[in-house]
Amino acid sequence: MGDVISTHLDESRRHYISEKTGKVLGEFCQFYEEQYGVALFNSVRYEIEGNGGPQSQLLHRKVPLEDRVIISGNLFQYVEENKKWRNRFSVVPHNYGLVLYENKLAYDRGIQPRIVLNSAGYKILTSLDQYLELVNSSLPGTAPKSGNAPILKCPTQFPLILWHPYSRHYYFCVMTGKEQDKWRAVFQDCVRHCNNGIPEDSKVEAPAFTDAVRMYRQSKEQYGTWDMLCGNEVQVLSNLVMEELVPELKTMIGPKLKGKAQERQRVWIQISDAVYRLAYDQIKAHYDAVVTKCELERPRMESTIRTDMDQIITSKEHLASKIRAFVLPKAEICVRNHVQPYIPSILEALMIPTSQGFAEVREVFFKEVTDMNMNVINESGMEKLGEYMEKLSQLAFHPVKMQSCYEKMDQLKLEGLQQRFDVSSASVFKQRAQILMRQQMDDAVHTFGTLLHQELAKMLGKEELCKSIQRILERVLKKYDYDSSTVRKKFFREALLQITIPFLLKKLAPTCKAELPKFQELIFEDFDSFILVENTYEEVVLQSVMKDIMQAVKEAAVQRKHNLYRDSMVMHNSDPNLHLLGEGLPIDWGEEFGSQPDSDPSAEKHRRARQVVSVLHDDEGALPYEAGAEVLMHQVSQEEPGSEELEACPALASPGSPDSVQGIRGMLVKEFSVETPVPAREEAKESLTNGTIVQQSGSSEERGVERAAQKAEEGPGSLEHSAQHDAGSPGLANPGVEEQEAKPAVPTAPAQPPALTTASLLAEGGAEVNRHKPNDKETGEEVSTQAHAEKVEPGQPATGTSAGTTENSAGTTENSAGTTENSEGVQTQF
């Protein structure tokens, strides 16, 4: 590999790559410094004026994945250095980085991992045909014929390939289709989380960065959405550089690639990865210096803003009025002719899959709690409650159980609109909606657990516990209905802006862009760091279409088929002490309500840590991964045809006790006679060993009896729209706003126009003390040889896979680390 890289990337080409990277960085950093002052002003203004949206009804948990591992298990990995398949012990910790160890023993002993990979920008492929199609489309020169041999041979029929347009690719395979589906869901969760990497709680740096990226691309006549705005800031800038570099490198290097199609494909992937790393290292040093410079200027700038806030606002409003008089007539004509007719169809395309996804979140939550309720009562009441609640608390981060919710967004199709509005793909909207679904599920689960924990202080018996769980479930579902409606409407507005605003800016650029510099003289010199003509111009364009977007979403809320609340309906917080309750310490269900056998406390703590550390266990432990797998890998590495697929052992069936389930329902039927039809939902297709072991839910009539029982138990103190909840569409989150008791809210205009930013528009292993723990800030990959993997350098800092810094469910960006090279291998941390 080194010879290939040195041949095609000689000193002159490396120098050219460095110059090109420096040029892009210089232009971008100028935009960033300008946008930093604007973002700081907007942040301070928002802090002073305040303009919060509707208060959420559900509680938000800050550290949902602390001391957790998403999954651990074995995967076959193709090692490009020796062209062999090897068995790897794989761990996905709470920061969603894929960590590969030599084997399970290396993980237990705390030996350095082979690879730590951040999957931002990757696509998960499950067939070689899909992979070859992408590789051939990116290869310089004429694409190979379809009948050519593949770039690699897999030992099984179930591959998992991580493809990136610029960085290196990773090849895995598993034994069965069930395993493939499970790991694919896990990898997609990793990609989804890492793509959402720029932290939303950063009120200055995040909008400054995304606006600078957008302004830079617009300066190159590139409007519309961008799929590679993913990962941390350095990864995004690397993608920005590669977007300009790759076409030039294809022209320079492509004709010199020799050999068969497979060899040319392999060489080009290696060259692209090497260029990506060169650009990444240079960008990281330069970008960190710019960020430091802005941070040093921040106290002075913030002091000026707070002192002269009124004058800055007045100056900005004066500038906006002048630009509005010039731009608005042209913008309104453009909106009326080219945007307004298409808003309803865009909104409908977004609303159908999104509403179905949030309805599925509601249904999955309802089913999991109902099954837990039945299992707790049928088994041993309070003794099992802690175990089941521990598993339920991680439901939102269970990739397989959440997959049915995420799959609803796959129905989103924008083909008819992509060409008109320059939307590169719908993936940015799909992933954003899926992140919101996960957040709403976690909020619902956390609120349920908090309310149940409060109720358990009464030391209830089995029958009372059953009724309390059902009563709390109904309360949380009502809160979920309201919050999900608010979240979806905000998502629709942002998506419509993200689709239409770049189109309008592109349409108006020929007639408006050249006239903007003359407005610069209207800005006082002292305020030119906080007021930019370009940003004010975009806000005016945004205002020209915002009225139509707001009206379209408002009209959609009236249609009950989408299960949205009307804007005039406000659900006031009926639990004033709930948010105070949520500020307490996290609930340790296993410790507080789990069984407490007589044993050594330290041993019990260690046993329990091993039990709950993984959200999703590798339940295919019986698969012949170890000795037999190595033989299979050796055979495949020799490329002998006819390798047979290994068969998995049948999964253990979940135990059931239908008689006891019917007993509970019979008890409810005797006490309540009201029936509310609720459609039965398909049972989960896959049973996971560390998921809730459930008995089947009953018929729709029996479930309706349980709901009726809950409402009768709540009495008049229930939330305002409980009665109409059952009158809506069965099985969906229909709030029934017509019969809801609510006070109309007086619409208030925002204190300032919404900022037009891309961000807003868009384990089985125990917790051994000495184990090596990958850092949260490792967002790239670490590659080391076997010799390097057998030792840990004394000076290396300890980081955590199951402890340490955690990320909130909205997703945060891991900061980049440095790059070190030695004779044993290359270790790169992105």
Side-chain angles (χ1 to χ4, degrees), residues 341-388:
Y342 300 97
I343 289 178
S345 57
I346 301 174
L347 184 58
E348 188 71 12
L350 290 167
M351 291 180 75
I352 293 175
T354 306
S355 295
Q356 289 177 354
F358 277 85
E360 182 70 9
V361 170
R362 187 186 198 275
E363 186 68 14
V364 169
F365 172 67
F366 173 83
K367 179 185 180 299
E368 290 292 325
V369 174
T370 303
D371 289 336
M372 181 202 71
N373 194 7
M374 291 188 292
N375 288 338
V376 168
I377 300 304
N378 290 338
E379 294 180 4
S380 54
M382 298 288 289
E383 295 180 4
K384 283 286 185 180
L385 180 63
E387 177 183 341
Y388 285 125

Side-chain angles (χ1 to χ4, degrees), residues 777-798:
K777 297 184 179 180
E778 292 173 325
T779 59
E781 61 183 12
E782 298 180 6
V783 183
S784 59
T785 62
Q786 175 61 28
H788 186 68
E790 294 298 331
K791 63 180 181 178
V792 181
E793 297 180 6
Q796 183 174 358

Side-chain angles (χ1 to χ4, degrees), residues 60-64 96 193 199-201 397 438-439 806-812:
H60 178 68
R61 182 167 43 163
K62 296 180 180 179
V63 285
Y96 287 91
H193 178 88
E200 295 182 352
D201 56 351
F397 304 93
R438 184 177 69 186
Q439 180 64 62
T806 61
E807 302 174 346
N808 59 29
S809 58
T812 55

Side-chain angles (χ1 to χ4, degrees), residues 53-320:
Q55 182 182 2
S56 64
Q57 296 292 307
L58 297 170
L59 300 179
H60 178 68
R61 182 167 43 163
K62 296 180 180 179
V63 285
L65 281 180
E66 188 174 22
D67 299 335
R68 295 299 195 278
V69 169
I70 305 297
I71 188 174
S72 63
N74 291 286
L75 288 171
F76 294 129
Q77 184 200 6
Y78 180 71
V79 182
E80 296 182 80
E81 286 74 16
N82 54 21
K83 296 182 173 59
K84 294 182 183 294
W85 288 86
R86 289 288 182 262
N87 184 29
R88 296 286 184 247
F89 183 72
S90 309
V91 177
V92 178
H94 64 274
N95 64 355
Y96 287 91
L98 177 61
V99 186
L100 300 179
Y101 292 87
E102 190 71 25
N103 48 45
K104 178 67 161 61
L105 184 61
Y107 172 72
D108 291 336
R109 290 180 175 178
I111 297 176
Q112 182 84 4
R114 300 280 298 190
I115 292 174
V116 178
L117 170 67
N118 177 286
S119 53
Y122 277 87
K123 288 185 178 179
I124 312 302
L125 308 175
T126 54
S127 75
L128 288 176
D129 292 339
Q130 294 175 332
Y131 176 67
L132 290 177
E133 183 179 351
L134 288 172
V135 170
N136 290 338
S137 63
S138 62
L139 187 67
T142 305
K145 297 179 180 179
S146 58
N148 287 333
I151 194 172
L152 78 160
K153 292 183 178 180
C154 291
T156 74
Q157 300 176 13
F158 308 103
L160 286 162
I161 302 173
L162 275 65
W163 175 89
H164 193 282
Y166 309 127
S167 188
R168 72 175 290 186
H169 304 163
Y170 293 88
Y171 313 96
F172 304 97
C173 66
V174 291
M175 293 294 190
T176 67
K178 181 180 178 181
E179 272 195 297
Q180 187 186 46
D181 292 341
K182 179 180 67 178
W183 279 99
R184 178 173 178 267
V186 172
F187 286 168
Q188 285 178 333
D189 227 14
C190 292
V191 171
R192 189 180 301 117
H193 178 88
C194 295
N195 282 356
N196 197 46
I198 298 177
E200 295 182 352
D201 56 351
S202 175
K203 304 302 182 183
V204 178
E205 290 80 3
F209 179 82
T210 52
D211 281 356
V213 171
R214 181 171 48 79
M215 291 295 186
Y216 175 83
R217 297 188 78 246
Q218 288 181 9
S219 69
K220 305 296 182 180
E221 302 298 325
Q222 294 173 326
Y223 295 81
T225 58
W226 186 39
D227 285 347
M228 297 310 293
L229 185 65
C230 51
N232 61 35
E233 290 86 346
V234 181
Q235 286 175 303
V236 172
L237 291 179
S238 300
N239 296 335
L240 196 66
V241 170
M242 292 297 289
E243 187 178 42
E244 298 189 21
L245 263 178
V246 165
E248 299 175 9
L249 292 176
K250 284 183 178 181
T251 303
M252 291 189 296
I253 300 176
K256 299 184 179 181
L257 297 179
K258 305 299 180 183
K260 296 182 179 180
Q262 306 97 295
E263 185 61 26
R264 287 189 289 118
Q265 289 169 344
R266 190 175 290 112
V267 170
W268 175 249
I269 293 171
Q270 293 173 357
I271 292 172
S272 178
D273 178 64
V275 174
Y276 185 83
R277 293 172 183 277
L278 289 173
Y280 184 96
D281 295 340
Q282 183 177 346
I283 289 167
K284 184 182 183 306
H286 195 145
Y287 177 73
D288 289 346
V290 172
V291 171
T292 302
K293 176 183 176 183
C294 292
E295 286 297 321
L296 292 175
E297 289 290 317
R298 179 168 180 167
R300 179 191 62 79
M301 297 171 69
E302 190 167 342
S303 175
T304 302
I305 292 172
R306 294 186 181 278
T307 303
D308 301 328
M309 174 64 75
D310 292 340
Q311 292 90 330
I312 297 175
I313 293 175
T314 301
S315 179
K316 182 178 180 180
E317 290 176 349
H318 178 65
L319 172 67

Side-chain angles (χ1 to χ4, degrees), residues 3 32 52 60 102 118 145 356 412 510 578 581 631 674 815:
D3 294 338
Y32 180 81
H60 178 68
E102 190 71 25
N118 177 286
K145 297 179 180 179
Q356 289 177 354
L412 178 60
L578 180 59
L581 191 64
V631 175
V674 181
N815 292 329

Side-chain angles (χ1 to χ4, degrees), residues 680-828:
R681 182 183 177 275
E682 292 184 2
E683 299 298 331
K685 296 180 180 179
E686 182 176 7
S687 175
L688 302 171
T689 57
N690 78 322
T692 305
I693 302 176
V694 301
Q695 282 93 26
Q696 304 300 322
S697 302
S699 65
S700 60
E701 293 183 358
E702 292 166 332
R703 192 176 288 178
V705 170
E706 295 176 7
R707 291 190 174 219
Q710 169 57 34
K711 290 168 187 165
E713 190 71 17
E714 280 190 40
S718 62
L719 297 178
E720 291 86 353
H721 62 300
S722 60
Q724 54 79 25
H725 172 74
D726 290 337
S729 300
L732 295 178
N734 194 322
V737 294
E738 284 77 4
E739 300 179 19
Q740 179 185 4
E741 295 181 11
K743 299 179 181 179
V746 179
T748 57
Q752 60 179 358
L756 185 61
T757 64
T758 306
S760 64
L761 302 180
L762 181 192
E764 292 176 341
E768 288 83 5
V769 175
N770 295 323
R771 173 178 303 156
H772 171 80
K773 302 170 183 175
N775 196 331
D776 288 352
K777 297 184 179 180
E778 292 173 325
T779 59
E781 61 183 12
E782 298 180 6
V783 183
S784 59
T785 62
Q786 175 61 28
H788 186 68
E790 294 298 331
K791 63 180 181 178
V792 181
E793 297 180 6
Q796 183 174 358
T799 54
T801 56
S802 57
T805 305
T806 61
E807 302 174 346
N808 59 29
S809 58
T812 55
T813 303
E814 296 84 7
N815 292 329
S816 306
T819 303
T820 60
E821 297 185 3
N822 55 38
S823 59
E824 295 178 339
V826 179
Q827 182 181 80
T828 305

